[in-house]
Amino acid sequence: MRIILAVLLALASTAALADFSVRFDRGVVTVGDSAGSVIQKAGRQPDRIVQLQNAYGAAVGERWEYYFNGKQVNLTFSGGKVTDITEIRS
């Protein structure tokens, strides 16, 4: 019973970690990384940058979009740091 519980907990924690990091050719980008660090690890500028605004039109951050290997990786920045990572498979 303890082994089953340990395996279930390990699987649950692995899925949770996937939302906070993404692997690029030159390294792993994690939440909290700076924009410069992301460019170094990705090895290139993003394919698209989207300005994020609040309901009043004020800038609140950016979303950097990278396209590769049949997926889209979105990195959300606020205050110069990565705050969210999302992968979309096509």
Side-chain angles (χ1 to χ4, degrees):
M1 185 64 159
R2 288 183 185 179
I3 294 173
I4 294 172
L5 181 60
V7 169
L8 290 174
L9 288 174
L11 290 174
S13 66
T14 301
L17 290 175
D19 295 335
F20 299 107
S21 66
V22 64
R23 179 146 191 74
F24 283 92
D25 290 338
R26 296 183 180 177
V28 176
V29 173
T30 59
V31 169
D33 281 354
S34 67
S37 176
V38 169
I39 292 171
Q40 281 183 329
K41 293 174 183 179
R44 61 187 172 97
Q45 295 286 328
D47 296 305
R48 181 175 177 216
I49 298 176
V50 178
Q51 298 295 320
L52 303 177
Q53 300 176 344
N54 66 13
Y56 303 102
V60 294
E62 295 180 335
R63 182 178 69 237
W64 289 13
E65 298 176 355
Y66 287 92
Y67 305 101
F68 56 83
N69 299 334
K71 68 180 175 181
Q72 175 181 338
V73 175
N74 294 337
L75 305 173
T76 304
F77 285 84
S78 182
K81 303 282 183 181
V82 176
T83 57
D84 188 44
I85 299 172
T86 307
E87 288 186 47
I88 302 169
R89 302 235 179 237
S90 44

